[in-house]
Amino acid sequence: GAVVSQHPSWVICKSGTSVKIECRSLDFQATTMFWYRQFPKQSLMLMATSNEGSKATYEQGVEKDKFLINHASLTLSTLTVTSAHPEDSSFYICSARLAETTDTQYFGPGTRLTVL
Amino acid sequence: EDQVTQSPEALRLQEGESSSLNCSYTVSGLRGLFWYRQDPGKGPEFLFTLYSAGEEKEKERLKATLTKKESFLHITAPKPEDSATYLCAVQGPGTYKYIFGTGTRLKVLA
């Protein structure tokens, strides 16, 4: 149980284009999902918290116009990197909190984004 | 400011050589402490949740303990497949957000 998937697992795009990453909770409903990015040999950095049906809450220093987050249903959240640039290349990971009964987050497998 | 520090940064063990990883935290009103394992190029895999000092959880060769200032992840008789980065995260009061430590990279040699 508590499986989270991400799609795609890796993506290469040209500078200036937009990329959408999907995060799905496969066997549970997630009222809250989180988006992280991780640089090589570093820990996870929280980008934003996403609640179903409401606007995402972004961490300080994260550009909300660049990283668009939508949480349209209890099983799907999307992260769109708009006008991507090489410095946006990173490993993006989502997580989901298992409804109201636990504080534990379950993580997806991650998406490797490379911007050329 | 809430902080999480993990030590050591890296650890090399021989197969069967038991050891402990440390996660120390400064957060007022700990809501929960979480241990994850992360393999290269993958997302973190959930191991344990601890809520109060004195609590212990076990799973196979791993045992997690919690005090008011730190948590330990004890690895008993590790095997090469236990090689991974082990991450510790804490939650403060009134939030579901995690604060992650920088992790301990464990390598177990056959």
Side-chain angles (χ1 to χ4, degrees):
Chain A
V3 179
V4 177
S5 71
Q6 280 184 244
H7 179 79
S9 55
W10 59 270
V11 57
I12 301 172
C13 69
K14 292 183 178 181
S15 187
T17 61
S18 294
V19 174
K20 180 185 283 189
I21 302 170
E22 291 186 349
C23 175
R24 292 181 185 273
S25 55
L26 297 185
D27 53 0
F28 66 100
Q29 293 185 328
T31 52
T32 308
M33 289 183 169
F34 304 85
W35 287 95
Y36 297 82
R37 68 187 294 183
Q38 186 176 34
F39 292 104
K41 296 192 176 181
Q42 293 189 24
S43 194
L44 281 75
M45 183 189 79
L46 180 64
M47 298 174 66
T49 302
S50 162
N51 288 294
E52 186 263 338
S54 60
K55 289 185 178 180
T57 303
Y58 291 82
E59 294 300 299
Q60 194 173 6
V62 177
E63 299 175 62
K64 60 181 68 176
D65 293 333
K66 177 160 197 63
F67 299 100
L68 300 179
I69 292 171
N70 183 274
H71 193 159
S73 78
L74 287 172
T75 59
L76 174 64
S77 177
T78 60
L79 168 68
T80 301
V81 183
T82 62
S83 187
H85 292 283
E87 57 265 30
D88 299 322
S89 298
S90 190
F91 192 51
Y92 292 88
I93 310 173
C94 72
S95 71
R97 187 170 68 91
L98 183 58
E100 304 298 328
T101 58
T102 178
D103 298 318
T104 302
Q105 294 178 27
Y106 294 89
F107 286 83
T111 296
R112 171 76 56 195
L113 170 63
T114 301
V115 185
L116 302 176
Chain B
E1 184 184 341
D2 297 337
Q3 279 194 328
V4 181
T5 303
Q6 290 188 246
S7 62
E9 277 189 28
L11 181 62
R12 289 166 70 95
L13 299 173
Q14 289 294 132
E15 184 173 3
E17 180 187 1
S18 302
S19 188
S20 296
L21 313 182
N22 177 264
C23 171
S24 61
Y25 60 91
T26 53
V27 60
S28 51
L30 180 74
R31 185 186 179 110
L33 185 141
F34 308 82
W35 281 100
Y36 290 85
R37 166 199 171 121
Q38 186 177 27
D39 292 303
K42 297 187 178 180
E45 175 189 341
F46 172 69
L47 294 174
F48 303 110
T49 302
L50 300 167
Y51 287 109
S52 55
E55 190 174 358
E56 298 182 352
K57 294 272 181 74
E58 280 190 74
K59 179 182 177 181
E60 296 178 357
R61 295 179 292 282
L62 300 177
K63 179 180 176 180
T65 62
L66 180 64
T67 72
K68 288 187 177 180
K69 292 184 179 181
E70 60 191 347
S71 176
F72 291 94
L73 184 65
H74 306 280
I75 303 178
T76 303
K79 297 182 178 182
E81 53 262 41
D82 295 321
S83 298
T85 295
Y86 290 84
L87 296 168
C88 166
V90 300
Q91 268 180 346
T95 178
Y96 295 112
K97 296 194 300 186
Y98 280 179
I99 302 169
F100 271 99
T102 50
T104 293
R105 294 190 307 278
L106 174 66
K107 177 76 172 177
V108 181
L109 304 170

